[in-house]
């Protein structure tokens, strides 16, 4: 890849995802949001095109693409619906953790069905008492023969109750990050249950529930990597997840900008089209410029992660913070440009604003992104 342009393969991947979003997602997005409908069949259609295991290795049915390709795909899908794109991103993140850290038996057992999205995967780190302070999690797994016995609760879990697999961070040892391990837990495990579907500001086209463990027995063979490696595995998953959610913000914001341009060509005030007012032209120019700057940053971070650069984690945090902040602000400005119509659901702008707001919170809040960047900067100057 040249630094500032896409090659033919990348353009083809992006256009494939963009066409799918336009044909199969965008026409239904408002209805799915209103009815809180989780479009599993449509996501499986996306998986048939290779989007269920984008950067999963090919020997288990994955597409074997790069993080850069994934950023293009998630931005394109989010033009149709940020909520659907974001869940496919989470599914890919959880699946990648199995691909990267699982043994051959684990990979062959679960990944072929994850890549087709016959099985959906959820990522389970956050708890009622530990969000940003993830290393303080309390869900405990105690060894009993060849099983772990789990007790505890995860909170704000996307896909909970619908997913077939849960990649769960649990405490198997001492307090702090070194006492955390990662288990893959199947959805029909006795002792596993779910809370009510949360009533949310946005992201209504995917369920969000608590995941509850009450003496749930999980085979020790379902552990990814060694005991105590779970926090490292969780953070590695989040590096890519942060790029993905930033890309989802860009796609949603681009859709909002496109809607604004179309609206301003038609709407008149004081005898002129809205797009003839210089003040509004300047606002459009700023929105487009901010989006392009964020897109370039996301691409840089994705390329750094593909190369395993030493500063990849910091760049992913930077890109997540900048991309999600810009995405929300552009969508919010688009709502303002629509005036009162932007506040009506039928125009689709207010949904984008609602959906993108949570991107500044999940995958690590943007305050935590600043903390990650600051720590890296300070460590580098010692």
């Amino acid at each position: 890849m040249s630094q500032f342009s896409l090659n033919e393969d990348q353009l083809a991947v992006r256009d494939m995802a963009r066409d799918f979003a336009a044909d199969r997602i965008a026409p239904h997005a408002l209805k799915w949001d209103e009815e809180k409908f989780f479009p599993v069949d449509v996501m499986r259609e996306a998986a048939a095109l290779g989007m269920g295991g984008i950067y999963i290795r090919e020997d288990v049915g994955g597409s074997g693409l790069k993080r850069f390709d994934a950023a293009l795909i998630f931005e394109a899908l989010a033009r149709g619906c940020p909520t659907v794109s974001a869940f496919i991103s989470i599914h890919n993140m959880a699946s990648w953790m199995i691909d990267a850290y699982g043994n051959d038996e684990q990979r062959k057992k679960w990944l072929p069905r994850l890549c087709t999205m016959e099985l959906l995967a959820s990522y389970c780190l956050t708890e009622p008492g530990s969000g940003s302070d993830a290393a303080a999690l309390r869900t405990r797994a105690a060894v009993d023969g060849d099983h772990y016995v789990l007790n505890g609760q995860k909170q704000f879990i996307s896909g909970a109750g619908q997913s077939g697999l849960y990649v769960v961070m649990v405490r198997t040892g001492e307090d702090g990050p070194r006492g955390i391990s990662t288990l893959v837990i199947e959805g029909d495990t006795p002792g596993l249950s779910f809370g009510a579907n949360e009533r949310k500001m946005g992201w209504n086209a995917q369920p969000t529930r608590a995941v509850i463990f009450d003496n749930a027995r999980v085979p020790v063979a379902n552990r990814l990597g060694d005991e105590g490696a779970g926090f490292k595995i969780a953070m590695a998953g989040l590096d890519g997840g942060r790029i993905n959610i930033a890309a989802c913000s860009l796609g949603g914001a681009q859709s909002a900008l496109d809607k604004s341009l179309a609206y301003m060509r038609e709407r008149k005030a004081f005898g002129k089209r809205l797009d003839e007012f210089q003040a509004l032209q300047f606002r459009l120019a700023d929105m487009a410029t901010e989006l392009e700057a964020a897109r370039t940053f996301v691409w840089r971070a994705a390329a750094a992660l593909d190369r395993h650069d030493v500063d990849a984690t910091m760049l992913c945090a930077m890109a997540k913070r900048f991309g999600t902040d810009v995405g929300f602000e552009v969508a919010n400005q688009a709502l303002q440009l629509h005036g009162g119509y932007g506040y009506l659901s039928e125009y689709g702008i207010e949904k984008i604003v609602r959906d993108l707001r949570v991107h500044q919170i999940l995958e690590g809040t943007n305050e935590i992104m600043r903390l990650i960047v600051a720590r890296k900067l300070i460590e580098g100057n010692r």
Side-chain angles (χ1 to χ4, degrees):
M1 185 197 75
S2 63
Q3 191 169 3
F4 297 110
S5 63
L6 304 180
N7 62 37
E8 289 185 5
D9 290 341
Q10 291 162 341
L11 288 170
V13 165
R14 182 201 65 186
D15 292 346
M16 175 270 296
R18 187 178 293 181
D19 290 345
F20 182 84
D23 293 341
R24 300 294 296 127
I25 297 177
H28 312 289
L30 293 179
K31 183 177 180 182
W32 292 341
D33 176 74
E34 181 179 355
E35 297 180 357
K36 295 188 176 182
F37 178 75
F38 192 37
V40 174
D41 288 346
V42 173
M43 291 191 291
R44 286 175 177 156
E45 291 178 31
L49 297 174
M51 291 183 271
I54 297 169
Y55 35 83
I56 306 302
R57 284 174 276 177
E58 294 177 282
D59 66 309
V60 287
S63 297
L65 298 176
K66 301 291 188 182
R67 300 300 184 133
F68 190 95
D69 302 306
L72 300 177
I73 289 169
F74 291 124
E75 178 179 350
L77 291 177
R79 289 190 179 205
C81 177
T83 304
V84 173
S85 182
F87 181 79
I88 296 175
S89 160
I90 293 166
H91 170 88
N92 271 268
M93 177 175 69
S95 300
W96 174 82
M97 292 166 70
I98 297 172
D99 191 36
Y101 294 97
N103 57 39
D104 285 343
E105 182 179 351
Q106 292 168 334
R107 293 178 66 246
K108 291 174 182 176
K109 179 178 181 180
W110 291 310
L111 286 169
R113 289 185 293 160
L114 289 170
C115 289
T116 62
M117 296 188 81
E118 175 190 343
L119 281 180
L120 303 180
S122 292
Y123 176 90
C124 303
L125 177 62
T126 298
E127 298 186 356
S130 61
S132 294
D133 186 11
L137 66 85
R138 300 174 63 86
T139 296
R140 181 161 291 278
V143 175
D144 180 20
D146 58 357
H147 283 73
Y148 287 107
V149 179
L150 270 67
N151 286 282
Q153 179 173 322
K154 297 296 178 177
Q155 189 73 17
F156 305 129
I157 306 304
S158 294
Q162 296 269 1
S163 291
L165 283 183
Y166 298 85
V167 179
V168 185
M169 274 48 73
V170 298
R171 187 160 303 285
T172 54
E174 62 189 69
D175 290 344
R178 294 182 181 179
I180 295 171
S181 301
T182 300
L183 300 180
V184 180
I185 301 176
E186 298 182 346
D188 59 357
T189 299
L192 170 63
S193 62
F194 307 97
N197 193 6
E198 302 285 3
R199 297 174 62 188
K200 307 186 296 287
M201 175 179 176
W203 268 30
N204 289 320
Q206 57 167 284
T208 303
R209 293 183 170 93
V211 176
I212 303 162
F213 304 102
D214 183 9
N215 290 323
R217 295 181 64 84
V218 178
V220 172
N222 286 24
R223 188 185 68 230
L224 296 181
D226 296 330
E227 274 203 0
F231 193 75
K232 179 187 75 173
I233 294 171
M235 294 303 105
L238 285 176
D239 278 347
R242 286 165 181 160
I243 295 172
N244 294 347
I245 208 64
C248 290
S249 288
L250 298 180
Q254 186 65 58
S255 176
L257 177 57
D258 292 344
K259 291 176 186 292
S260 296
L261 288 166
Y263 175 78
M264 293 170 69
R265 279 193 294 266
E266 300 296 327
R267 177 74 171 178
K268 289 186 177 181
F270 306 104
K272 294 196 298 185
R273 297 195 319 268
L274 293 188
D275 63 6
E276 294 180 298
F277 288 92
Q278 189 177 70
L280 300 184
Q281 291 173 353
F282 284 3
R283 185 177 298 190
L284 290 170
D286 286 345
M287 292 161 68
T289 301
E290 292 291 308
L291 264 182
E292 194 60 36
R295 183 175 293 115
T296 302
F297 205 156
V298 169
W299 288 7
R300 183 188 175 198
L305 191 59
D306 281 329
R307 293 191 303 266
H308 306 288
D309 287 359
V310 293
D311 60 352
T313 292
M314 183 178 72
L315 289 171
C316 290
M318 288 177 167
K320 192 271 180 180
R321 199 286 297 169
F322 189 66
T324 58
D325 280 350
V326 166
F328 177 76
E329 181 58 27
V330 168
N332 199 38
Q333 289 290 335
L335 190 153
Q336 189 72 18
L337 288 171
H338 277 73
Y341 291 104
Y343 207 64
L344 301 181
S345 61
E346 64 193 87
Y347 282 76
I349 297 292
E350 60 86 30
K351 175 193 177 299
I352 295 172
V353 173
R354 289 187 288 106
D355 284 348
L356 296 193
R357 181 61 183 87
V358 75
H359 294 191
Q360 296 169 294
I361 298 172
L362 53 82
E363 311 287 25
T365 67
N366 285 1
E367 290 75 18
I368 292 296
M369 298 305 100
R370 291 177 173 91
L371 184 61
I372 291 169
V373 172
R375 284 177 174 171
K376 293 289 185 180
L377 291 172
I378 293 167
E379 289 170 4
N381 284 315
R382 284 179 178 169

